[in-house]
Amino acid sequence: MWTHFRLHEFDSPDQPGSGARMDHEFLDMLDVARSIAGVPFAINSGYRTAKHNKKVGGSTNSSHLRGKAADIACTNSASRYRIMSALIAAGFTRIGIGATFIHVDNDTVKTPGVAWLYA
């Protein structure tokens, strides 16, 4: 179904097979972004159970809980630029930048057109 990943990459660590709960529109957009970027996307976090989300300090309104978000591993500026550019080109409008990852979501209940930093 998707060219660049398998659903198990998005599993919550405490629930094997939970990657199947990911939003298909989100996955379609992410697959397009991977094609545009031309670099692999290693998924640090996809779908999260409420228990795992609490364990990692996620927001109680986290888009990960709805399968509409992923954190992509990224530790250098060149890859960060390629991945961010590809995410925007694929239509994502919500991007968070961390020291070792890029968060992306397409959660329609949240404000679009935003980028933020994780401290």
Side-chain angles (χ1 to χ4, degrees), residues 2-114:
W2 296 282
T3 304
H4 300 286
F5 59 84
R6 303 293 174 257
L7 287 176
H8 69 83
E9 294 178 60
F10 299 91
D11 285 354
S12 186
D14 61 338
Q15 192 173 83
S18 58
R21 295 183 179 177
M22 291 296 293
D23 178 79
H24 284 208
E25 181 181 344
F26 173 84
L27 295 176
D28 290 344
M29 291 173 67
L30 193 62
D31 202 44
V32 168
R34 281 184 174 183
S35 291
I36 294 168
V39 297
F41 287 10
I43 305 301
N44 288 344
S45 182
Y47 176 78
R48 292 182 190 161
T49 62
K51 180 180 176 181
H52 182 69
N53 190 60
K54 184 175 183 177
K55 179 180 177 181
V56 299
S59 162
T60 57
N61 190 31
S62 173
S63 300
H64 290 276
L65 296 167
R66 292 183 288 284
K68 293 179 171 283
D71 295 343
I72 304 163
C74 184
T75 58
N76 69 71
S77 59
S79 291
R80 187 173 295 112
Y81 181 82
R82 287 183 81 163
I83 292 169
M84 287 176 46
S85 295
L87 293 170
I88 292 167
F92 286 105
T93 63
R94 295 182 45 80
I95 300 172
I97 313 298
T100 60
F101 69 95
I102 297 171
H103 168 95
V104 62
D105 72 67
N106 70 338
D107 200 331
T108 56
V109 301
K110 296 184 176 179
T111 304
V114 295

